[in-house]
Amino acid sequence: MAVGSWKGEPLHRLFPRIDLSQDAIYPFFDRPRQAYIFAKYLRLFLEEPYILRSDSGAVEDRVETDVFSKLSEDANVTFLASMAHNVEGLSPPKGIVQLPRLGRTEFREALANNRVVVGLGNPALSPTPWEALCMGVPFINPVFDWDRDHPEDRTKWNAQQNGVMYLCLDEPHVYHVKCGDRAGFEQAVRKAMDSPIDR
């Protein structure tokens, strides 16, 4: 049964089953000023789409970027990630604290103790942003395709998690940031640090 339409196509409600019965839920202002980078693999910093891509698309900019370290310093934010190092000689960008690989229970514990989850652009169709939202953790959703003549026309957007757009989830739950908009990214992180959401 359709619950609405998007771009002229019927929408059907398909949500992952999220069981929070075993998860710790931390009060927002008791959490450290942390942002969790939603990436299992370091190579996601090199793939398209990428939220902080430069206009030139230069791969080097992605790992040499100072965005994370500057935000860490200026906004007192710690960026965390648990990524497999699957690109020879590549390290996470400066300003990102690399956690060890986490099992499912440890991952959900780490996720719940952040003030925002940062999407990079991939993977699509993951339950992680939904789990975060259910734990009261907002999500930064990279928008990688849009109508340049009508940039706010969401029917022309494609994003890492289109489902949150279909449901019209916006700030402070979901911050939609166009890829390459570094100022918008920084603003979203800063806002999310001080904007609690309900679960």
Side-chain angles (χ1 to χ4, degrees):
M1 178 173 144
V3 294
S5 66
W6 179 260
K7 298 182 185 182
E9 296 294 322
L11 289 178
H12 300 276
R13 200 167 281 177
L14 295 173
F15 295 105
R17 181 172 182 268
I18 298 173
D19 179 9
L20 299 177
S21 62
Q22 303 300 313
D23 292 312
I25 305 295
Y26 299 98
F28 188 84
F29 288 109
D30 289 352
R31 300 175 201 163
R33 292 178 60 84
Q34 293 179 167
Y36 192 88
I37 304 291
F38 171 37
K40 285 185 182 180
Y41 304 105
L42 190 54
R43 67 177 162 75
L44 295 177
F45 283 92
L46 305 178
E47 294 181 355
E48 289 294 340
Y50 176 65
I51 193 167
L52 295 176
R53 72 177 175 218
S54 65
D55 290 336
S56 67
V59 167
E60 299 80 37
D61 290 348
R62 296 175 181 197
V63 292
E64 297 303 322
T65 184
D66 60 358
V67 170
F68 299 104
S69 58
K70 279 186 175 177
L71 265 173
S72 291
E73 189 175 307
D74 296 346
N76 189 27
V77 177
T78 301
F79 291 92
L80 303 175
S82 175
M83 299 176 287
H85 288 258
N86 58 341
V87 179
E88 187 68 32
L90 187 66
S91 297
K94 294 174 190 148
I96 296 177
V97 176
Q98 173 69 18
L99 300 173
R101 294 295 287 163
L102 302 173
R104 185 76 180 135
T105 302
E106 294 82 13
F107 167 72
R108 288 176 69 141
E109 176 85 13
L111 195 65
N113 202 27
N114 285 276
R115 293 197 183 185
V116 70
V117 171
V118 177
L120 295 180
N122 275 304
L125 302 176
S126 169
T128 296
W130 299 102
E131 290 173 317
L133 288 166
C134 289
M135 294 178 195
V137 181
F139 176 60
I140 295 178
N141 188 32
V143 178
F144 54 83
D145 192 23
W146 63 91
D147 183 336
R148 300 311 197 255
D149 294 326
H150 304 97
E152 298 310 312
D153 179 358
R154 292 187 182 202
T155 64
K156 305 287 176 60
W157 285 9
N158 269 320
Q160 180 172 357
Q161 296 288 313
N162 282 328
V164 295
M165 288 189 317
Y166 301 154
L167 294 176
C168 301
L169 290 176
D170 283 311
E171 296 181 23
H173 294 83
V174 178
Y175 297 83
H176 304 286
V177 176
K178 293 181 181 74
C179 288
D181 181 2
R182 292 178 184 228
F185 173 77
E186 291 178 19
Q187 182 180 37
V189 171
R190 288 175 188 273
K191 280 185 182 178
M193 286 298 112
D194 297 307
S195 303
I197 66 171
D198 54 351
R199 308 181 13 221

